[in-house]
Amino acid sequence: MPKPVVAIVGRPNVGKSTLFNRLTGARVAIVEDTPGVTRDRLYRDAEWRGRQFTLVDTGGIAARPDDPLVAQVRRQAEQALEEADVILFVVDTRTGLTADDEEVAEILRRSGRPVILVANKVEDFSDPTLTHEFYRLGLGDPFPVSAIHGLNVGDLLDRVVDLLPEAAVEEDGMALKVAVVGRPNVGKSSIVNRLLGEERVIVSDLPGTTRDAIDTYIRQGEREYILIDTAGMRRKSRIADSTEHYSVLRALKAVERADVVLVVLDGTEGVTEQDKKIAGYGHEHGKASIIIVNKWDLVPRDDKTMARYEEMIRQELSFMSYAPILFISALTGQRVARILPAIDAVGAEASRRVATGTLNSIVREAVILTPPPAVKGQAVKIFYATQVKVKPPTFIFFCNRPEDVHFSYQRYLENQLRQAFGFEGTPLRLLFRRSKGQ
Ligand SMILES: Nc1nc2c(ncn2[C@@H]2O[C@H](COP(=O)(O)OP(=O)(O)OP(=O)(O)O)[C@@H](O)[C@H]2O)c(=O)[nH]1
Ligand SMILES: Nc1nc2c(ncn2[C@@H]2O[C@H](COP(=O)(O)OP(=O)(O)OP(=O)(O)O)[C@@H](O)[C@H]2O)c(=O)[nH]1
C-alpha cells in the first residue's frame, strides 16, 4: 500500500524545517526513514492515529541559489503538487503576508488539492488578529500553530489525517476502479454493457461520489472491478447530459477517481483532437490507460490494417506510448474478453515498486552508458534514485544540477526504466532534486 504524501511549502524562514521536525519528531512516531534519502532529511515517514504518511520538506529541495525568491517558491509549490496528497502551506505571522505568499496561494488554489494554511509563530492564541490578514489568500481558515513550541500541532495532525485519501483497501477491497471515456458515440455504453453481459459477471449498483453518478461493481472469479459513473451507459435511454461541456467535465471527474482509464476510439475514424484531449486527462493525472479501438467489425481489413492503425495511434497519441491497444467490437463481442485481463495487467504495473538496490544498478548503468550532457562546461551528475510512490510510479533522482537535466535525457532515463522494469500501461514520473552527492 503506498503511503500518502504530505508536503510542506512556504517561503524561506517561515518555519518549514521546524514544523517538519516537530511533526516527525516530538509528536509523531517515526516509523521508518524512506530508504536511501535519509541523508537528505527531506522525506520522513510518519504516523498519527494509526494513519501512515510520508512528510516532505520542499524547502530543502527546490532551492536554486541563483533564482529570484519568487521563482524558487513557485517551483517548490509545483513540485509539491506533483507528488503530494495534502499540502501544508506555511506562512509567518511575524512578518505577515507577502507577495510571495500570494503567488504560492494562487498556484495552490488553482490546483484544487487539499491545502491547510498553517499560520506559524503564533505563541499567543488569545489574539485572533494575528492570523486575520491570511484569509485574503482564499485558502480557508488559517490554522495557527507554534512549530517551535509544538502548540496546536496535534490538532494540525488531526486535520492532516482527515484530509488524507482513504486507503484503497478500506474503501473498496481490492477492486480496481475503471473509467470508460471517449467522445460521444464511440461505443462506451456498448462496451460497458458487453462487460456486464459477459458470463460469470456479477453486477450491482454503488452510489458514486457525485450526486447522479452510479458506479457499477462487477466481479469475475476472484477479481473485482468498479466501473465509474456508468449511470448513463447502462441504460439506453440516457439522461440528457450530452452537452459537450458537461460530458467533458464528467469524464474528467471519472478519470480522477479511476485506477485505470479505458480510452475508447472509433475504429472507423481517425484520432480526433477531442480524442487527444480526452486521452490526455488520464496521462496528466498519472493514470494507467488502455486504448480501445472499437467498431473494428466495420473496418475493411487486410493483414496490415491493424499495424497501420496502431502506427497512426502511436503518432497521434505519442505522449502515451506506454498504453496497450486493443482492437475490439462491442457489437460482435470480438476480443472484448481481453479487456478485464488488460485492466488487471496495467493496474498491477501502476502499483509496482522496484527495490532501491535494483533501481540504482539500472540507473548507474544507464548513466555510465550515456552520461547526462554537460551544461556550460559543468558536469551534470546523478547520484542516486529512489521510488517514492506508486500510481503512478514516481522516482526521485538526486543530482548536483537538477535544472540541467535536459528533457531528452529524462526521456532516456524513462526508457531505461521501462526497458528494465516494464511498467506497461502506466505513466511514470521522474523528479530531479538537488543533493550534495555521496
Ligand atoms: N517564534 C517562533 N519562531 C519560529 C517558529 N518556528 C520557527 N521559528 C523560527 O523561524 C526561523 C526559521 O525557521 P526554519 O524552520 O529554519 O524555516 P524554514 O521555512 O525551514 O526556512 P528555509 O529552510 O530557509 O526555507 C528559525 O529561526 C526558527 O527558530 C515558531 O513557531 N515561533
Ligand atoms: N458496428 C458497431 N457499432 C457499434 C459498436 N459499438 C457501438 N456501436 C454503435 O455505435 C453507436 C453508439 O454506441 P454507444 O455505445 O451508445 O456509444 P457511447 O460512446 O456510449 O455514446 P454516448 O453515450 O453518446 O457518449 C450505437 O449505435 C452502437 O450500436 C461496434 O463495436 N460495432
Side-chain angles (χ1 to χ4, degrees), residues 182-193 232-233 236 238 241-242 247 264 266 268 294-298 328-333:
R183 276 186 288 128
N185 223 41
V186 293
K188 298 182 294 298
S189 307
S190 307
I191 291 170
V192 167
N193 285 315
M233 296 184 192
K236 261 305 151 188
R238 244 161 263 139
D241 67 349
S242 48
S247 60
V264 184
D266 185 331
T268 65
N294 189 33
K295 307 196 188 177
W296 202 241
D297 58 291
L298 293 179
I328 71 152
S329 166
L331 189 75
T332 68

Side-chain angles (χ1 to χ4, degrees), residues 197-260:
E198 295 282 294
E199 263 180 285
R200 287 170 295 125
V201 169
I202 300 163
V203 185
S204 70
D205 289 338
L206 300 170
T209 51
T210 47
R211 198 166 40 83
D212 48 356
I214 296 282
D215 294 347
T216 307
Y217 169 79
I218 59 182
R219 199 166 88 207
Q220 186 168 47
E222 293 287 286
R223 306 288 309 161
E224 299 172 5
Y225 311 84
I226 290 171
L227 302 181
I228 294 175
D229 192 9
T230 38
M233 296 184 192
R234 285 178 44 198
R235 268 166 277 117
K236 261 305 151 188
S237 58
R238 244 161 263 139
I239 25 181
D241 67 349
S242 48
T243 65
E244 190 171 313
H245 176 71
Y246 192 66
S247 60
V248 163
L249 212 79
R250 200 152 186 151
L252 250 175
K253 283 222 150 62
V255 164
E256 279 171 14
R257 291 170 53 211
D259 298 307
V260 176

Side-chain angles (χ1 to χ4, degrees), residues 47-286:
E47 183 179 317
W48 183 253
R49 306 232 150 122
R51 289 298 307 274
Q52 300 189 346
F53 57 93
T54 303
L55 193 69
V56 195
D57 177 5
T58 61
I61 291 169
R64 246 193 243 173
D66 38 341
D67 262 357
L69 182 61
V70 58
Q72 289 184 29
V73 184
R74 190 186 311 129
R75 191 169 16 253
Q76 238 184 60
E78 280 160 0
Q79 287 196 330
L81 285 175
E82 236 172 311
E83 61 186 356
D85 298 293
V86 175
I87 293 166
L88 301 182
F89 175 32
V90 184
V91 292
D92 185 335
T93 55
R94 299 219 157 172
T95 54
L97 188 59
T98 70
D100 293 329
D101 291 335
E102 298 194 25
E103 173 101 11
V104 177
E106 166 75 24
I107 297 171
L108 297 180
R109 238 180 9 241
R110 273 200 314 255
S111 78
R113 209 62 63 81
V115 176
I116 304 175
L117 175 60
V118 180
N120 190 29
K121 310 194 187 177
V122 176
E123 267 96 47
D124 178 6
F125 283 81
S126 65
D127 182 1
T129 62
L130 284 175
T131 57
H132 267 172
E133 60 179 329
F134 295 103
Y135 278 97
R136 274 199 9 228
L137 295 174
L139 289 167
D141 296 341
F143 200 101
V145 299
S146 166
I148 212 159
H149 301 296
L151 303 176
N152 221 19
V153 166
D155 289 8
L156 177 60
L157 281 165
D158 286 346
R159 189 71 183 278
V160 169
V161 165
D162 283 346
L163 290 175
L164 293 179
E166 286 295 311
V169 179
E170 294 161 28
E171 202 182 353
D172 348 278
M174 293 306 290
L176 279 172
K177 296 198 218 80
V178 181
V180 183
V181 299
R183 276 186 288 128
N185 223 41
V186 293
K188 298 182 294 298
S189 307
S190 307
I191 291 170
V192 167
N193 285 315
R194 264 286 171 187
L195 289 175
L196 302 185
E198 295 282 294
E199 263 180 285
R200 287 170 295 125
V201 169
I202 300 163
V203 185
S204 70
D205 289 338
L206 300 170
T209 51
T210 47
R211 198 166 40 83
D212 48 356
I214 296 282
D215 294 347
T216 307
Y217 169 79
I218 59 182
R219 199 166 88 207
Q220 186 168 47
E222 293 287 286
R223 306 288 309 161
E224 299 172 5
Y225 311 84
I226 290 171
L227 302 181
I228 294 175
D229 192 9
T230 38
M233 296 184 192
R234 285 178 44 198
R235 268 166 277 117
K236 261 305 151 188
S237 58
R238 244 161 263 139
I239 25 181
D241 67 349
S242 48
T243 65
E244 190 171 313
H245 176 71
Y246 192 66
S247 60
V248 163
L249 212 79
R250 200 152 186 151
L252 250 175
K253 283 222 150 62
V255 164
E256 279 171 14
R257 291 170 53 211
D259 298 307
V260 176
V261 179
L262 305 185
V263 179
V264 184
L265 305 176
D266 185 331
T268 65
E269 296 168 20
V271 176
T272 68
E273 282 308 308
Q274 207 188 340
D275 289 328
K276 286 187 202 175
K277 208 159 114 193
I278 291 171
Y281 298 156
H283 176 74
E284 281 150 26
H285 284 85

